Amino acid sequence: MLFRNFVHTSTVAKPKLDRKTLIQNSLSVFKTKGYNGTSMQDLASANGLLKGSFYHYIESKEALMLEVLQSLKEHYTKRIFVIAYDVKLSAYDRLALLAKKAEEVFMFEEGGDFFVNIGLETKNTVPAFTVVIQEFFAEWLKAMHSIFSAVMDKEEAKVKAEIVVAEIEGSVILMKLLEDPTFLSRTNSKMLAEFKKLETQNVVN
Amino acid sequence: MLFRNFVHTSTVAKPKLDRKTLIQNSLSVFKTKGYNGTSMQDLASANGLLKGSFYHYIESKEALMLEVLQSLKEHYTKRIFVIAYDVKLSAYDRLALLAKKAEEVFMFEEGGDFFVNIGLETKNTVPAFTVVIQEFFAEWLKAMHSIFSAVMDKEEAKVKAEIVVAEIEGSVILMKLLEDPTFLSRTNSKMLAEFKKLETQNVVN
Amino acid sequence: MLFRNFVHTSTVAKPKLDRKTLIQNSLSVFKTKGYNGTSMQDLASANGLLKGSFYHYIESKEALMLEVLQSLKEHYTKRIFVIAYDVKLSAYDRLALLAKKAEEVFMFEEGGDFFVNIGLETKNTVPAFTVVIQEFFAEWLKAMHSIFSAVMDKEEAKVKAEIVVAEIEGSVILMKLLEDPTFLSRTNSKMLAEFKKLETQNVVN
Amino acid sequence: MLFRNFVHTSTVAKPKLDRKTLIQNSLSVFKTKGYNGTSMQDLASANGLLKGSFYHYIESKEALMLEVLQSLKEHYTKRIFVIAYDVKLSAYDRLALLAKKAEEVFMFEEGGDFFVNIGLETKNTVPAFTVVIQEFFAEWLKAMHSIFSAVMDKEEAKVKAEIVVAEIEGSVILMKLLEDPTFLSRTNSKMLAEFKKLETQNVVN
DNA sequence: AATGAATGAGAATTCATTCAT
DNA sequence: AATGAATGAATTCTCATTCAT
């Protein structure tokens, strides 16, 4: 505020629309209305622009969504899935932290299961999205695989990762559709409890 | 000309468009393109009609989708979930048969996870669909609850049903998105194996 | 007027927009504004329709123009170039009649040199039109070839046809651009005079 | 950073955008896409500028085209049509040289018949261009008139000039549309042969 | 000069829906 | 019931032009 006042009145520091903000605003609209349900008008408005002006920033609706998906995938990979490889934490703590973060994301951000939403909606009509969506899940599976490798052999861990991710996704979806938040937290608790048990057995061995 | 007259009055049965066929044809389009992605043109064509004519059968796109959802919910309830209450079968056989049927539906029909697809796509924009979708899952959960009640107490069975349905849904979705059919069959096998174990423990008790 | 009154007042015989009228109306707009200069709005209005309604009749602007070109090519082929093969007329009379008809068309219809206009404007951007335009000129050349074959050998006649068509087209264009109607009529007179001379020489031989 | 500063102040000559280059680049785009088919974006890009920057050089699209036409008209007048008045050459040589130059221009430059293209496309929509286009043809006609005056009387020469220009234009257009280069060269040969004949007759007289 | 952002009108096309026949 | 025509709003995207920096 002080700063704003300080600035010469004739040059109201224009709140530049940086890429990150644009992506976030757009993501927010896509989350609420889906891909086909979102119009360029919606997206432009969400970014405080006129339809025409918005094309100054993006090439097309499809290209924008692709960028949103890629950006979100990188966010998950670098900020959340990376926890799975943190050597400063025990395997259990990695899983616990990952679960906690994921729970936050899925429960408090409207439409946290974005990749599933868009993936299912556009599967047969916009092939361009499929690759990124699959890459997102590959990263998630890899992270889970890494964690579970601490308590079982590689092959078993791969299967376990797949099961666990499926369970979480299923829980998130039912949580959304049935508007019942217990689904996800219970799935996470169960997963952590099982992991602890496996860890103990392993130590014995 | 003669021919035309002949055709007109002849027995070449104009393929009667009964309600069931109409619903099935429409479902098929909605499955492939989603709700917003499907146009009335698409729906009319799928039913061999012109757009204008199609309005003789339906009130609006939204009303049609609602009918499709209701019809599909009833189909599942009466043909599939009913298995859960079949006293002629053992609890295990009920679960096995249910799993088999579900696997058929989800794997061979394009877009088997219709309720999830439409639910996620329209959650924030078409509240009218939410009720039916929730009813569908309520029926599914009830069926699972009934089966698991054979091997555990009511309260536990309720939780178990929720877990199992979440697992199946998660598997179906990953199967679709990752184009890997093993997800669902493995989840079903696991579920059946667990059930058998629970049964045995129970008998022992 | 009498007829209109006679018709039952509640069913004002709807002046159905038949294909021919639609094509003519559209041609008229394209002639005046060119291809890129004409908007769908212009075309719809020229046909007494709203933009949206106009798509009931056509697939796209490009498809419409293609149909206009094809239709016009057929008109020329069947109504004008056909004169060149009329055995009831002498070769000279055929040429004279052809010239007269062409003069009428080019001088009184705004933009008679439609194929040249559209051809030049869209040559590098809409390849779809090129074929029809080339076909039009092929028909014209063929007609001229046929007539000139009466007074010279085939090979010479082919060259002569090309020269004559080029002369006429050049004249039409200069007539338009310089707003001077003498260009075309003089070219036609010259052509006919030359033909007469060739005919005489030929008879002598 | 050092490097950047170096570049900034160094002698790496920013490719100066002088008026002539700007006009040529713009002409090149207009030739390919026509007037309505060319966007300011196209023109700016062709000049290595952003749309916004391009307006530092021009007032509007229409003004630019006008300048292009004027510039081109002057080029023809001063470099090509001027040959017609070169007293160091015989009348025949003037015509031959003129024909050769024209052939080069029309055959090797994409869209050599620029005045016809633009004239026909914008005749009814942008009257501002008409004047320059007519002036171009007036200059051409004057040049031809001058040459033919050497072998026939003024009045005849005027008509002959008109015929010859029409023939050349017609040939150029058919050459373009039918993608057959013989049209123009044949017309030129014919014109030169005729001229020679006229010359001889004249000398005899 | 150059840039990037903004504007608002307008482009082609599609949409769900209605209605006279 | 069926059709084809019509409607008018909405869709994605492009345009020529302007302007603050």
Side-chain angles (χ1 to χ4, degrees), chain C residues 1 5 20 25 57 93 99 110 112 117 129 132 169-170 175:
Chain C
M1 232 156 93
N5 284 335
K20 210 178 135 190
N25 291 338
Y57 296 85
D93 287 348
E110 184 59 37
N117 282 244
F129 301 158
V132 208
E169 266 305 342
M175 178 177 80

Side-chain angles (χ1 to χ4, degrees), chain D residues 21-41:
Chain D
T21 311
L22 182 148
I23 296 294
Q24 268 173 352
N25 291 338
S26 306
L27 170 60
S28 170
V29 183
F30 279 135
K31 273 176 177 170
T32 311
K33 304 197 169 188
Y35 180 66
N36 290 301
T38 295
S39 72
M40 290 303 295
Q41 181 69 264

Side-chain angles (χ1 to χ4, degrees), chain C residues 31-34 36-37 110 113 115-117 119-121 123-125 130 133-134 137-138 141 158-160 162-163 165-167 169-171 173-174 176-180 182-183 186-187 190, chain D residues 31-34 36-37 110 113 115-117 119-121 123-125 130 133-134 137-138 141 158-160 162-163 165-167 169-171 173-174 176-180 182-183 186-187 190:
Chain C
K31 272 176 177 171
T32 311
K33 303 198 169 188
N36 289 302
E110 184 59 37
D113 45 354
F115 289 94
V116 169
N117 282 244
L120 292 178
E121 186 188 346
K123 215 172 86 67
N124 304 295
T125 46
T130 309
I133 292 173
Q134 292 184 341
F137 283 105
L141 289 169
K158 184 165 171 289
V159 171
K160 186 66 186 172
E162 290 181 5
I163 292 171
V165 168
E167 281 179 18
E169 266 305 342
S171 302
I173 285 159
L174 288 187
K176 299 275 156 161
L177 294 179
L178 304 183
E179 288 155 16
D180 176 348
T182 60
F183 275 89
R186 187 175 51 215
T187 297
K190 206 191 93 185
Chain D
K31 273 176 177 170
T32 311
K33 304 197 169 188
N36 290 301
E110 183 61 36
D113 44 354
F115 289 94
V116 169
N117 281 242
L120 292 178
E121 185 188 346
K123 215 173 84 71
N124 304 294
T125 47
T130 309
I133 292 173
Q134 292 184 341
F137 283 105
L141 289 169
K158 183 165 172 290
V159 171
K160 186 65 185 173
E162 289 180 5
I163 291 172
V165 169
E167 280 180 18
E169 267 305 343
S171 302
I173 284 159
L174 288 187
K176 299 273 156 158
L177 293 179
L178 303 184
E179 288 155 16
D180 177 347
T182 59
F183 275 91
R186 187 175 51 214
T187 296
K190 207 191 91 182

